Amino acid sequence: MYKAISSLSGRCAALTRGSCSMPCLAYFHRASGALCQKSAFKPPSTDVPEMPPCNFSPEKYTGMSKDRMIEIRRQNCNPMTMKVTYYKKPVFIHQGYMQWLWDVDGRRYLDLFAGVATVSVGHCHPKVTAAAEQQLKKLWHTTSIYVYPTLHEYCEKLASHFPDPLKVIYLTNSGSESNDLAILMARLHTGNNDIITLRGSYHGGSPQTIGLTSNAAYKYPVASGFDSTNTMCPDVFRGPWGGSHCRDSPVQTIRECTCAQGHCMANEQYIAQLKETFATSVPNRIAAFFGEPIQVQTGFGRTGSHFWGFQGHDVIPDMVTMAKGIGNGFPMGAVVTTPEIAASFAKGLHFNTFGGNPLACAVASSVLDTIREDDTQQNSLRVGTYLMTELAKLRDKYEIIGDVRGKGLQIGVEMVRDKASRDPLPPEAMAEIFEDVKDMGVLIGKGAIYGQTFRIKPPMCITKEDVDFFMAVFDKSVRNYMERR
């Protein structure tokens, strides 16, 4: 999560390489059963795209049986884990390396979801792994009551990536915790209570952040998240306004646009909706506006053009919250704000037992170094633009691919019944394609209010050869569905 937050009334945020792959195009071969798990939805052909080679060999799995894991998952784990087991035939993950995952049977998958856009530089990246191992041998944990180098080295390094006056850092353990903290800081600093968010957003599932989250699937029928109001999210594909001149992206929407080049009338309409929200739903002074440059994870170079998503819109927010890719999957989060806001918050005692943990700081520091050394931001721009351009070709080819959008390696593919209606593709159809993609060796995500958007947010080390493989898989999966339909 990387949120650009305005906490001063009257101010708003904008609405708006290590790789183990060797060069290889996506050829086809007769499936042997070793590469892919058989799909519950049998495709008309047994030909599947050939996966790019990898020179890493995982350890042989000798642990618990799959049946026993599912039994424990049902009996002892949070019941929601069964609900979010995406696949009809679950994936039992054993090991990962860079953009690759292996299951307990030794099958390899190209990971284009990265643990929900969390693995920034690659699974078990050697540099990050080495930093974690080195810190484990010295100090796992102590309290920030004491002065230890890893905390201060990391805070200085993270602050160097932000423009002035965003220089004060609070370290947390998750995105929800970061957003909780930001809400409290904004309310204390402004003396106001109301908060505005965008429709369709996700800012966490805690009792406080659930009010910011604008998606019914995450809501419970109990009082929570007081004084939070959502406003219309600018959506130039499904929203009431927008067209082919309105998107800040390498790929534009297919909707016709009446805007003059360089002048987006849709922008004015969506800003008018925000003004309407002020006029009808909140007091004339608010505590904060929570906005996302793209819903959601847009930090640490993932968008390619900038290190932080808000930098693409010439806006400096009052606070930025983050988690996800900050630690390459290690549980960590942060709030970055101004000295002025931090001073307001110092009126009470704030203490976090695990925030700023030495191990977390060592890992997160190595992630920042690796992003720079491996040039993952530039790779996100280069490979992500190529991927979106190729996906746009499939959008033009298939009636059920309605929209392709994003920046860098933050990509959404919205599926529809047909382009004329733009109605969401039904969940059962999404599931068929989703399962088929997995059975051919690629892991992607699903999201959006109606679950109609495929989410492609891989580790930022993927290559064009990986993209070619995925494109062949996705093309075949969509074609299989169309032929069955």
Side-chain angles (χ1 to χ4, degrees):
M1 299 175 183
Y2 317 99
K3 322 291 185 196
I5 306 164
S6 177
S7 65
L8 300 179
S9 62
R11 291 180 62 181
C12 287
L15 294 180
T16 19
R17 164 163 36 160
S19 169
C20 65
S21 296
M22 293 177 282
C24 176
L25 294 176
Y27 298 112
F28 288 77
H29 73 106
R30 185 72 59 178
S32 65
L35 178 65
C36 300
Q37 193 173 330
K38 185 180 286 186
S39 173
F41 305 96
K42 188 176 180 181
S45 168
T46 56
D47 289 335
V48 298
E50 184 176 5
M51 186 176 289
C54 175
N55 58 12
F56 179 85
S57 297
E59 298 175 5
K60 184 177 180 181
Y61 179 75
T62 58
M64 187 182 293
S65 71
K66 291 188 283 188
D67 288 343
R68 181 61 180 144
M69 281 190 274
I70 289 295
E71 183 181 2
I72 293 171
R73 197 172 177 90
R74 288 197 179 103
Q75 293 179 356
N76 303 118
C77 294
N78 165 10
M80 193 57 65
T81 59
M82 288 303 298
K83 211 170 185 180
V84 298
T85 300
Y86 273 151
Y87 299 105
K88 187 172 181 178
K89 292 183 179 180
V91 180
F92 295 81
I93 297 300
H94 164 48
Q95 193 166 351
Y97 182 76
M98 301 306 285
Q99 65 267 51
W100 305 104
L101 289 171
W102 286 263
D103 69 12
V104 298
D105 298 316
R107 291 189 182 93
R108 177 161 57 105
Y109 298 88
L110 176 63
D111 182 11
L112 298 188
F113 199 31
V116 195
T118 298
V119 180
S120 294
V121 296
H123 294 283
C124 299
H125 192 293
K127 296 174 187 175
V128 181
T129 301
E133 290 175 345
Q134 185 179 14
Q135 186 61 44
L136 276 170
K137 294 174 183 177
K138 290 193 294 189
L139 183 67
W140 286 26
H141 179 72
T142 188
T143 169
S144 55
I145 290 172
Y146 309 120
V147 181
Y148 50 92
T150 48
L151 170 66
H152 303 85
E153 289 167 1
Y154 180 65
C155 285
E156 181 182 43
K157 190 179 293 185
L158 181 60
S160 72
H161 286 78
F162 282 91
D164 289 330
L166 293 168
K167 295 298 178 183
V168 182
I169 295 168
Y170 294 80
L171 295 177
T172 67
N173 305 288
S174 71
S176 292
E177 187 182 349
S178 295
N179 288 330
D180 267 334
L181 180 58
I183 292 169
L184 178 58
M185 294 173 78
R187 284 173 170 164
L188 283 170
H189 183 70
T190 63
N192 303 321
N193 215 49
D194 286 75
I195 294 173
I196 296 176
T197 62
L198 296 170
R199 290 181 194 168
S201 62
Y202 177 81
H203 297 287
S206 68
Q208 188 83 291
T209 58
I210 201 68
L212 307 183
T213 295
S214 177
N215 189 323
Y218 296 99
K219 301 285 189 178
Y220 290 87
V222 294
S224 60
F226 299 108
D227 299 316
S228 296
T229 300
N230 63 64
T231 192
M232 188 179 290
C233 179
D235 181 349
V236 300
F237 176 66
R238 296 189 74 246
W241 305 288
S244 57
H245 295 163
C246 298
R247 179 175 282 165
D248 177 25
S249 172
V251 174
Q252 294 289 340
T253 180
I254 58 174
R255 288 174 68 180
E256 292 185 7
C257 190
T258 57
C259 300
Q261 192 75 34
H263 180 73
C264 181
M265 293 189 297
N267 183 59
E268 297 169 2
Q269 297 284 359
Y270 287 112
I271 289 175
Q273 285 297 307
L274 177 59
K275 291 178 178 177
E276 188 80 4
T277 300
F278 273 99
T280 62
S281 304
V282 297
N284 59 9
R285 292 177 58 86
I286 63 170
F289 171 81
F290 271 67
E292 304 150 302
I294 303 174
Q295 292 180 321
V296 279
Q297 303 89 12
T298 59
F300 298 94
R302 179 164 287 279
T303 62
S305 58
H306 297 83
F307 201 83
W308 308 109
F310 69 82
Q311 292 173 316
H313 302 280
D314 296 323
V315 167
I316 299 179
D318 301 298
M319 288 187 279
V320 179
T321 65
M322 65 196 74
K324 296 291 185 185
I326 190 173
N328 206 47
F330 196 93
M332 190 179 184
V335 178
V336 182
T337 189
T338 68
E340 182 185 6
I341 294 173
S344 298
F345 192 57
K347 295 172 184 175
L349 178 63
H350 172 73
F351 183 78
N352 189 315
T353 300
F354 293 108
N357 170 277
L359 183 56
C361 287
V363 168
S365 184
S366 179
V367 170
L368 288 178
D369 291 342
T370 303
I371 288 171
R372 183 189 72 251
E373 293 163 7
D374 290 4
D375 202 15
T376 59
Q377 181 177 331
Q378 182 59 33
N379 192 60
S380 295
L381 179 63
R382 181 176 59 87
V383 177
T385 301
Y386 174 65
L387 175 52
M388 273 184 281
T389 302
E390 292 300 299
L391 283 167
K393 295 175 184 177
L394 289 192
R395 177 201 61 191
D396 297 339
K397 178 179 178 181
Y398 292 111
E399 182 68 11
I400 64 169
I401 301 179
D403 193 34
V404 174
R405 55 182 175 268
K407 267 186 173 183
L409 289 173
Q410 168 86 352
I411 299 170
V413 181
E414 184 160 349
M415 309 298 287
V416 294
R417 290 181 184 271
D418 57 78
K419 287 184 172 71
S421 70
R422 301 195 299 277
D423 289 338
L425 193 66
E428 59 274 14
M430 290 290 293
E432 284 191 41
I433 298 170
F434 198 57
E435 194 91 16
D436 212 10
V437 169
K438 178 262 295 181
D439 285 344
M440 284 190 273
V442 181
L443 304 179
I444 56 177
K446 285 189 293 185
I449 294 177
Y450 306 105
Q452 80 277 22
T453 300
F454 289 125
R455 302 169 69 187
I456 303 169
K457 300 161 186 183
M460 293 186 286
C461 57
I462 69 162
T463 68
K464 284 189 174 182
E465 290 72 38
D466 299 330
V467 169
D468 290 336
F469 168 62
F470 166 66
M471 290 305 305
V473 166
F474 192 60
D475 186 8
K476 184 171 177 57
S477 299
V478 174
R479 185 169 69 249
N480 287 346
Y481 170 76
M482 295 296 287
E483 290 174 358
R484 288 191 297 267
R485 191 171 78 162

